[in-house]
Amino acid sequence: MDFSTKVTLSESNFKIDYKSNLVFIGSCFADNISKRFTERKFHTLVNPLGVLYNPLSIENFFKKIAGGNGDSTETWCRWDYQGNFSEAELQEVVAETRDFLKKTDVVFITLGTAFVYFLKESGKAVANCHKEPADFFERRLISVEEAAEALKRTCKWIFRFAQDDVKIVFTVSPIRHLNDGAHGNNLSKSTLHLAVDKVCQEFANDASSVNKVSSANIGCADVTYFPSYEIVMDELRDYRFYAEDMTHLSKVAEDYIFEKMCNAYCSETTIANMKRVEKFMKTANHRVINPDSAETAALAQQILEKATLLEKEINGLDLSQEKER
């Protein structure tokens, strides 16, 4: 007897491997899942300006990265990102992000909420409130249409700036936002689901709907959806798969979703290579007690030789950091 509803995953008609460049943008769930790819030495760029929870802020990020106003030196403000950056730090991160996005193969976008904070003074959507007084902002649930239009424009900026065959994968974070109550959380997540489905359908049915700047045609494979939310709600419908706050996911649940993603987007060969790299990294990250001992020197030589062999056998793998230790 099966006590859970299995989510059927359609086989992706594109695959990622160690030659792929992967961008993860969105909520903290994007950080958590991408961490597993990064730990296995995939080429990743993850939320370079901090987490972005809502569709409007995600669109704003890609618009400015792509130079949406026709100016490569887009003006950024503190409401566009999380954290604190000096002007020099910000420009460095933006430049690195642009360089990476130009060669990106897949952009994974994780949507967290359809509730958005707007500055009362200007009406600007805010990515982070920076602990400013609540009366600075108006907070409301955006409509399905507003969310969908923002996501379509997001795709437009990515297609305009990245390489022609870049793929975009949307997912809805299964992490619940219960400050709005269970009903409010469901309204928010439902808005995101409907918006993503609308966008994916429009890309599949009408390649010209977002004015992709490219000679290549947009097919249904260019913009797709991965069911992280459904996997948790249906397959992992149990509080043992949540962290202590009962809203975030446990490590077991995140590992399970990561495994599902690998099965969907990686070939059997790549999965086998990931296991080899994972085993190597456990050795490479071994805690050194006596750095001057003969045993430590022998381990360092073993790591160097194994890293060199893996790089030779796995096309695209970069273990230069481990070799330099």
Side-chain angles (χ1 to χ4, degrees), residues 11 26 31 47 100 245 248:
E11 183 177 356
D31 285 348
N47 280 335
F100 196 96
D245 63 3
H248 290 78

Side-chain angles (χ1 to χ4, degrees), residues 234-279:
D234 291 319
E235 293 195 35
L236 306 180
R237 186 186 286 269
D238 192 313
Y239 274 108
R240 63 185 164 146
F241 296 112
Y242 284 85
E244 292 179 355
D245 63 3
M246 295 302 167
T247 57
H248 290 78
L249 301 183
S250 68
K251 180 180 180 299
V252 171
E254 290 173 350
D255 286 342
Y256 185 80
I257 295 172
F258 172 71
E259 181 181 332
K260 289 282 191 176
M261 291 187 73
C262 292
N263 291 337
Y265 299 111
C266 300
S267 67
E268 292 182 2
T269 299
T270 299
I271 291 174
N273 285 336
M274 290 170 66
K275 292 179 180 178
R276 295 176 66 193
V277 173
E278 186 176 359
K279 182 179 179 181

Side-chain angles (χ1 to χ4, degrees), residues 36 54 79 93 95 116 118 121 128 139 153 162 169 181 184 197 208 212 228 247-248 260 279 283 293 300 307 313 316:
R36 287 157 172 80
N54 70 79
W79 307 116
V93 171
V116 181
F118 296 88
E121 184 179 36
N128 191 282
R139 183 174 182 269
R153 290 190 295 267
V169 179
D197 186 67
S208 65
K212 180 179 178 183
S228 300
T247 57
H248 290 78
K260 289 282 191 176
K279 182 179 179 181
T283 302
S293 68
E313 295 181 345

Side-chain angles (χ1 to χ4, degrees), residues 61 125 163 283:
F61 169 81
Q163 57 186 355
T283 302

